[in-house]
Amino acid sequence: MKHAQVAVLLLVQSMNALARATATTEALFANVPGTMDDEGTCQCSVYLPDTTFPVQKAEQLEIIAATLSEKFEIELSQVKKYSKMIELYQQQILNITIRVEHMEKSSVSYTELDFQLLKMEISDLERLVTQLKSSLVGSNVIVEQIYLEITNLTILVNELESLDKNNVLAIRRQIVSLQNRLKECEEATNKTIIPPYFPPGSCNHRGLLNVSQPYIVKLNWRGFSYKYGSWGRDYSPSNPEREVYWVAPLNTNGIYLEYYRIYSSFDDLLLFKPIYESRITYGEGSGAALYNNYLYYHAYNSRHMVKHNFKTNTMVLRKELPDAVTGNRFSYAGVSWQDMDFAVDESGLWVIYSTERSMGNIVISKLNETTLDVVNTWQTRQYKPSVSNAFMVCGVLYATRPMNTRKEEIFYTYDTATGQEGRISVIMDKKLDTVQSIGYNPTDQRLYVYNDGYLLRYDTTFQS
């Protein structure tokens, strides 16, 4: 509007000047001096100003005035619009500020949802003010101040959430997690799942499916210092229901098998009432097994397998295991001196070991329990020192590895019937760090684990 007024003023001034020039000209014409020439002709000199009216300039000025007036009206309407938006933003910032102050004063009352809503509102404000800044030509002090206040609010809300002095959010998250776990527990309890039943000695299943939580029987009879050893239940195919248990802790050096005990029942085991407590000189490692009234173990510092009659405490047979590597060269991970690991399953007696030809991978041999002759041998591709222990079920080797100090994983299988290797994941909880031995009994289909001196027992579940 100001520019239009200036243009009109210039136009008026030009017209006034033109009128004054015309009047001056008329006055000059009224009294002009002259001279007479020789011929009697009167001559005079008159200065005439340019009397042409500036029509084109006037039109241009009129167009400029109209354009400026239109632009002025547009800018004025934008300013009115921005003023309303700024008032709205100021009110929103005031509301958010009040809420943040309330949260600061009463920190226990806020929730994570409050923070999320605040963050969303502040984000919207920031986006709108950014658009407002980009639409303005040049800088605007009010808009810059609003943008700064929004930035400060964002920092304040983030600090409030991170400080969380009363751990309200963390506690609420834990409560939600516990509620979900409780709900899952209730749902699992309400479901009645009956595991498939397979008679003792039966192999009409598709392998191991799961194991139970460990039943901690007791500490071994020699005490906590005797961390290495083995234990289990005797399997007698002719009389599978007969209860005979054995416990064989190694000496504290973790090498020598010297003393063992035989119990006639599980109750006698719990009450420390053995029927035999005997001494041998010497077995090596915690890979011993009891099968059909005979204890089988690795003779110390040799390649020999020993068949021992526990009733008479006499060595019945001693025989070399061909190509077996000894001297703690390929023992299990975390378990020293277990070069030969005897195992029992539904089909009889096995020995798990390594050879130089297998380059430390697990070798499985089926033994004739009467003569200790090797009936058949299978070589796997699983490196023996990379597993923590192994056992046999229905002619299938199962190998374990530690997950942490309280969990073990059954992860590898080798089926001697098909020669096929496999991968599974069955988690076993344990009491202490290291599993020194695992034995399987076909009668009760349980695993017997010697865990840093403690005797653990697990129920097994098989796939139908």
Side-chain angles (χ1 to χ4, degrees):
M1 181 66 74
K2 184 177 181 181
H3 295 292
Q5 292 173 349
V6 170
V8 172
L9 181 61
L10 291 173
L11 180 61
V12 171
Q13 289 177 349
S14 299
M15 295 176 67
N16 290 335
L18 181 60
R20 287 194 299 271
T22 304
T24 303
T25 302
E26 290 175 354
L28 290 173
F29 287 165
N31 187 17
V32 177
T35 59
M36 185 74 70
D37 60 8
D38 297 337
E39 297 178 358
T41 303
C42 182
Q43 295 181 349
C44 62
S45 297
V46 179
Y47 171 77
L48 294 176
D50 186 7
T51 58
T52 305
F53 186 80
V55 177
Q56 293 180 349
K57 289 183 179 180
E59 289 178 351
Q60 289 178 355
L61 289 173
E62 187 178 0
I63 293 171
I64 291 172
T67 303
L68 290 175
S69 178
E70 183 179 352
K71 287 183 178 180
F72 175 77
E73 292 296 333
I74 294 173
E75 292 293 335
L76 184 61
S77 63
Q78 288 289 339
V79 169
K80 291 179 180 179
K81 177 182 176 182
Y82 294 155
S83 298
K84 292 181 180 179
M85 292 175 65
I86 288 172
E87 291 177 1
L88 178 63
Y89 294 161
Q90 287 176 332
Q91 185 61 43
Q92 290 183 358
I93 290 174
L94 179 61
N95 294 338
I96 294 174
T97 304
I98 294 172
R99 288 168 60 187
V100 171
E101 289 176 353
H102 176 69
M103 289 167 63
E104 285 181 315
K105 293 176 182 178
S106 55
S107 58
V108 178
S109 65
Y110 62 81
T111 66
E112 188 171 11
L113 182 59
D114 293 325
F115 284 123
Q116 297 302 324
L117 292 175
L118 279 175
K119 288 180 180 179
M120 290 175 60
E121 292 181 18
I122 292 172
S123 177
D124 290 340
L125 281 175
E126 186 176 6
R127 177 176 52 81
L128 292 172
V129 172
T130 302
Q131 293 178 355
L132 182 60
K133 285 178 64 178
S134 63
S135 64
L136 291 174
V137 179
S139 62
N140 187 289
V141 176
I142 297 177
V143 175
E144 293 292 343
Q145 183 179 357
I146 290 176
Y147 188 81
L148 180 60
E149 290 181 12
I150 292 173
T151 304
N152 293 336
L153 272 177
T154 303
I155 296 172
L156 180 59
V157 171
N158 289 335
E159 287 179 350
L160 273 176
E161 187 178 26
S162 63
L163 285 175
D164 189 18
K165 296 178 182 178
N166 295 292
N167 294 318
V168 176
L169 299 184
I171 292 172
R172 292 190 184 215
R173 292 189 186 105
Q174 289 179 3
I175 290 173
V176 171
S177 176
L178 289 173
Q179 288 174 340
N180 291 335
R181 289 170 59 187
L182 180 62
K183 184 179 179 181
E184 291 174 1
C185 233
E186 289 174 346
E187 291 176 353
T189 303
N190 293 332
K191 292 180 181 178
T192 304
I193 301 175
I194 301 175
Y197 171 74
F198 299 95
S202 170
C203 289
N204 296 324
H205 52 73
R206 294 189 297 113
L208 187 65
L209 176 64
N210 204 356
V211 298
S212 68
Q213 287 293 309
Y215 174 75
I216 303 172
V217 178
K218 65 175 185 177
L219 185 65
N220 79 90
W221 57 276
R222 299 191 74 182
F224 185 74
S225 299
Y226 294 83
K227 294 181 175 295
Y228 293 83
S230 54
W231 85 291
R233 178 179 175 178
D234 182 23
Y235 175 55
S236 177
S238 60
N239 187 14
E241 297 302 321
R242 182 175 63 93
E243 282 193 276
V244 174
Y245 293 88
W246 57 280
V247 181
L250 301 186
N251 289 351
T252 53
N253 60 13
I255 303 176
Y256 301 124
L257 170 58
E258 186 174 5
Y259 293 96
Y260 67 92
R261 279 185 175 183
I262 305 296
Y263 301 88
S264 60
S265 69
F266 189 70
D267 289 340
D268 287 347
L269 171 66
L270 295 177
L271 296 173
F272 294 97
K273 294 171 59 177
I275 54 173
Y276 302 103
E277 180 179 334
S278 305
R279 179 176 183 265
I280 54 178
T281 54
Y282 291 101
E284 180 181 294
S286 52
L290 192 66
Y291 177 61
N292 203 18
N293 296 320
Y294 291 94
L295 183 67
Y296 296 88
Y297 62 87
H298 175 204
Y300 172 67
N301 197 27
S302 72
R303 286 183 178 175
H304 289 90
M305 303 174 288
V306 176
K307 180 179 181 180
H308 189 89
N309 187 329
F310 68 79
K311 292 182 179 180
T312 62
N313 195 33
T314 56
M315 182 186 300
V316 176
L317 184 64
R318 178 182 173 121
K319 197 159 196 175
E320 182 177 295
L321 179 61
D323 301 323
V325 173
T326 59
N328 197 35
R329 176 159 164 72
F330 294 123
S331 186
Y332 292 129
V335 184
S336 302
W337 302 101
Q338 198 164 339
D339 300 311
M340 294 185 194
D341 184 14
F342 291 90
V344 175
D345 73 351
E346 290 80 358
S347 62
L349 184 64
W350 304 79
V351 62
I352 304 164
Y353 60 106
S354 291
T355 64
E356 292 292 351
R357 181 179 297 177
S358 73
M359 295 178 290
N361 289 346
I362 291 176
V363 176
I364 311 166
S365 285
K366 182 71 172 63
L367 299 177
N368 182 317
E369 63 270 14
T370 303
T371 64
L372 291 184
D373 290 333
V374 174
V375 178
N376 206 344
T377 298
W378 296 262
Q379 181 173 310
T380 73
R381 292 182 295 177
Q382 179 62 51
Y383 189 52
K384 188 168 180 275
S386 69
V387 307
S388 57
N389 234 281
F391 58 94
M392 300 293 298
V393 178
C394 289
V396 177
L397 172 85
Y398 292 88
T400 65
R401 63 185 173 189
M403 297 181 67
N404 52 49
T405 59
R406 292 296 179 268
K407 291 185 184 296
E408 204 86 0
E409 181 188 30
I410 304 171
F411 76 101
Y412 173 83
T413 64
Y414 184 91
D415 190 343
T416 59
T418 62
Q420 296 296 315
E421 296 178 294
R423 297 285 174 177
I424 61 172
S425 181
V426 177
I427 308 303
M428 298 174 59
D429 288 340
K430 54 188 178 182
K431 181 175 177 61
L432 294 173
D433 296 2
T434 308
V435 170
Q436 279 76 23
S437 68
I438 302 178
Y440 169 73
N441 185 273
T443 298
D444 55 20
Q445 297 174 331
R446 286 171 172 160
L447 298 179
Y448 292 83
V449 176
Y450 197 99
N451 178 204
D452 279 340
Y454 284 87
L455 313 183
L456 310 184
R457 190 178 69 183
Y458 299 78
D459 293 326
T460 59
T461 305
F462 298 105
Q463 301 181 56
S464 57

